[in-house]
Amino acid sequence: MGKGEGENQTSITEFILLGFGNVPELQVLLLLLLPVIYVVTVAGNILIIVLVASDQHLHTPMYFFLGNLSCLETCYISIILPRLLASLLTGNRTISVNGCFIQLHFFGSLVGAECYLLAAMSYDRYLAICKPLHYAARMKGRFCLKLAAGSWLWPFVASTLLVCLVSQLIFCGPNEIDHFFCDFTPMTKLSCNDTNLVILVSFILCSIEVLSTFILTVTSYISIITTILRIPSTTGRKKAFSTCSSHLMVVTIFFGTLIIVYMLPDVAVLRDLNKVLSVFYTVLTPLANPLIYSLRNREVKEAMRKVIQTMRHSQKFRWI
């Protein structure tokens, strides 16, 4: 018997996002923390965008990609967090089927774009440290624009294709998604249709976007670390590593939790762990991005100092 045979084929019009409803204490903690995290994340990432755009010293490929990453993180957290906060505040966990498709589409697009941007940043650091004589010739403005445009465009196309396939499925109940946002696997489990084709396409696209960029990033950092270890002086090694340590921390948090979440077996015992780990790459990675780059990066701190000084001078002039 097929998956949908013998079942009620009435198509549902809305889903219920269960979120963390089975852990009331965690809901209270999230309600207190998430608004602060959202404000800090958006403000921090917008600050980095402003600094990169306004400071001439940051008009380099590394900071061009960082500006793109900060823009992405601002969009990324805004897809997930406001909806989660609204459900925690009102207790209304429903979301329309079309609303779920839209959230899934933008979530998939932005996750893919982040994978490509992080890989592009690791390639930039690889050239700067391992091939310094070729860096200026290869990382020209037009090439960087193409890398950034491709990082945004291809995941958008891939996510559009996947969501178009998912939208052809019939959802006839139950309508409860055991997650705090519309993720692919919990959604397709609720379909009455045969989902083999959709799952196959999803696997192929994820392999292209996540695994390929992860392998490229790991390969780049193996070469970077090998090159750094060959530097004879301790000071030289520290200086070289400082140029990529911030990016390495962001990469580790993002790819580490993303791979763990989607490699965990889909069993009831691990679902709560899956949701907690999902918080890392949907909420904490966008928060970590501005904090790590602003606290550990000398150029960003210097640009921030200049902005603060300019603001103080303008305020002083206004009073005069």
Side-chain angles (χ1 to χ4, degrees):
M1 183 180 289
K3 188 175 179 178
E5 294 177 25
E7 296 180 9
N8 178 15
Q9 293 294 309
T10 303
S11 181
I12 62 175
T13 58
E14 63 182 21
F15 293 116
I16 299 173
L17 295 170
L18 297 181
F20 300 95
N22 58 338
V23 190
E25 299 81 3
L26 184 57
Q27 289 192 85
V28 175
L29 180 62
L30 289 173
L31 194 55
L32 294 173
L33 289 179
L34 291 183
V36 178
I37 289 175
Y38 184 67
V39 171
V40 171
T41 300
V42 172
N45 280 294
I46 290 176
L47 175 61
I48 286 180
I49 295 169
V50 171
L51 292 176
V52 170
S54 61
D55 195 310
Q56 292 290 331
H57 294 94
L58 300 184
H59 291 182
T60 62
M62 175 182 171
Y63 293 106
F64 170 73
F65 290 123
L66 176 58
N68 274 267
L69 184 63
S70 294
C71 180
L72 183 146
E73 300 286 26
T74 304
C75 299
Y76 187 31
I77 198 169
S78 297
I79 294 298
I80 304 293
L81 217 52
R83 180 66 189 75
L84 176 58
L85 280 170
S87 67
L88 290 172
L89 284 169
T90 64
N92 181 11
R93 301 177 187 171
T94 61
I95 183 171
S96 68
V97 172
N98 288 335
C100 220
F101 290 154
I102 292 171
Q103 189 183 60
L104 176 64
H105 177 264
F106 283 105
F107 169 73
S109 299
L110 294 171
V111 168
E114 180 150 5
C115 290
Y116 282 110
L117 281 174
L118 290 175
M121 293 174 76
S122 68
Y123 179 68
D124 172 77
R125 291 299 85 203
Y126 162 76
L127 287 178
I129 294 173
C130 302
K131 309 283 184 180
L133 298 179
H134 302 280
Y135 182 79
R138 293 191 184 181
M139 297 302 291
K140 292 182 177 179
R142 182 172 293 183
F143 179 67
C144 292
L145 282 173
K146 288 180 180 179
L147 278 180
S151 297
W152 286 91
L153 184 59
W154 163 244
F156 184 86
V157 173
S159 185
T160 300
L161 170 63
L162 184 60
V163 171
C164 284
L165 290 174
V166 174
S167 67
Q168 301 304 309
L169 300 175
I170 297 175
F171 299 92
C172 52
N175 67 336
E176 294 180 339
I177 296 178
D178 190 12
H179 217 309
F180 60 89
F181 67 95
C182 296
D183 200 5
F184 174 78
T185 302
M187 277 187 68
T188 53
K189 286 175 64 178
L190 303 181
S191 172
C192 307
N193 302 85
D194 181 3
T195 58
N196 287 331
L197 175 61
V198 181
I199 291 173
L200 176 62
V201 171
S202 172
F203 176 77
I204 293 171
L205 293 177
C206 287
S207 297
I208 294 172
E209 290 186 351
V210 180
L211 288 180
S212 64
T213 53
F214 176 72
I215 291 170
L216 175 60
T217 302
V218 169
T219 303
S220 296
Y221 271 102
I222 289 174
S223 299
I224 288 170
I225 292 170
T226 303
T227 302
I228 290 174
L229 291 176
R230 289 174 182 166
I231 297 174
S233 68
T234 304
T235 304
R237 286 196 296 269
K238 287 182 179 179
K239 184 178 179 180
F241 188 72
S242 68
T243 64
C244 60
S245 58
S246 300
H247 178 248
L248 183 58
M249 291 176 67
V250 174
V251 164
T252 303
I253 295 171
F254 178 75
F255 276 113
T257 53
L258 188 67
I259 290 172
I260 290 172
V261 164
Y262 289 102
M263 286 184 67
L264 284 175
D266 186 23
V267 294
V269 180
L270 295 176
R271 278 177 197 154
D272 287 337
L273 176 61
N274 184 304
K275 284 188 278 189
V276 171
L277 289 174
S278 296
V279 172
F280 279 85
Y281 70 85
T282 56
V283 177
L284 295 185
T285 300
L287 173 65
N289 179 45
L291 292 177
I292 289 173
Y293 279 105
S294 61
L295 295 177
R296 293 181 58 86
N297 192 292
R298 182 175 57 81
E299 288 86 356
V300 172
K301 286 191 287 187
E302 181 63 23
M304 198 178 302
R305 186 184 63 80
K306 291 178 182 177
V307 169
I308 293 172
Q309 284 183 343
T310 303
M311 290 175 64
R312 286 177 178 174
H313 284 308
S314 63
Q315 190 71 21
K316 183 177 180 181
F317 181 77
R318 186 181 301 174
W319 280 105
I320 294 173

